[in-house]
Amino acid sequence: MIVCICNNVKDRQIKAAMASGIDSMKALQNALDVTNCCGCCEPMINDLLEEHHANQSDLVSQLAYAV
Ligand code: FES
């Protein structure tokens, strides 16, 4: 699904970037040019970032419990 229409950036590109450590709005802007035109994609990218960080927190909690 295309998230940033202006720059033809798809959700899977954003998720792949976040998985590789590009996991802040500024870093995504620099890497993929998202939000740098009309800005309409910013709320959806914020949602993806929140989901990503929530998943990371869950993983850290699970790892801490396992140790
Ligand atoms: S839709 Fe992303 S900058 Fe316009």
Side-chain angles (χ1 to χ4, degrees), residues 4-7 35-41:
C4 180
I5 296 168
C6 296
N7 297 300
T35 75
N36 290 339
C37 189
C38 73
C40 289
C41 55

Side-chain angles (χ1 to χ4, degrees), residues 12-67:
R12 66 185 137 104
Q13 291 172 278
I14 295 168
K15 288 177 181 177
M18 291 189 298
S20 73
I22 301 169
D23 62 356
S24 69
M25 181 61 78
K26 190 69 183 167
L28 288 169
Q29 289 169 329
N30 289 335
L32 300 173
D33 261 353
V34 293
T35 75
N36 290 339
C37 189
C38 73
C40 289
C41 55
E42 190 167 346
M44 192 176 291
I45 293 168
N46 275 326
D47 289 347
L48 291 171
L49 281 168
E50 282 180 24
E51 181 181 326
H52 173 73
H53 290 137
N55 289 340
Q56 280 188 323
S57 293
D58 287 349
L59 184 59
V60 169
S61 296
Q62 290 172 7
L63 288 172
Y65 185 74
V67 173

